[in-house]
Amino acid sequence: MSLDDRRSASVRAVLDSAQAPVVPAELCAEAMRRGGRALRRRRAARRLLWCLLAVAAVTFLVWASITHPWVEPPSRTTPPLTDW
């Protein structure tokens, strides 16, 4: 018998001899309540992040339409004057 076979046999023996744990009756209701609350929090956080993303996108579009960052700024110096 290999080491893995002995280990699995000992685990099976322990699991077969163990009694089923006693579960409190209110455990299911408590788990459902907590799960529902976690789901509502997750939905609220997701909605908040989408709203923040939308606000950031609108802010960027307004800023870009006002400042025109893609346009080259005007030159600060004038070209030299030459006499003909």
Side-chain angles (χ1 to χ4, degrees), residues 24-78:
E26 67 276 355
L27 183 64
C28 180
E30 181 70 18
M32 293 291 291
R33 186 180 64 80
R34 287 186 181 186
R37 182 171 47 187
L39 184 62
R40 284 189 301 276
R41 284 182 183 172
R42 197 174 307 130
R43 280 185 193 154
R46 192 177 302 130
R47 285 181 184 153
L48 177 67
L49 288 176
W50 276 111
C51 287
L52 287 175
L53 180 67
V55 167
V58 168
T59 303
F60 174 76
L61 289 174
V62 169
W63 171 80
S65 68
I66 292 173
T67 61
H68 300 286
W70 56 88
V71 176
E72 184 177 330
S75 177
R76 292 180 187 249
T77 61
T78 58

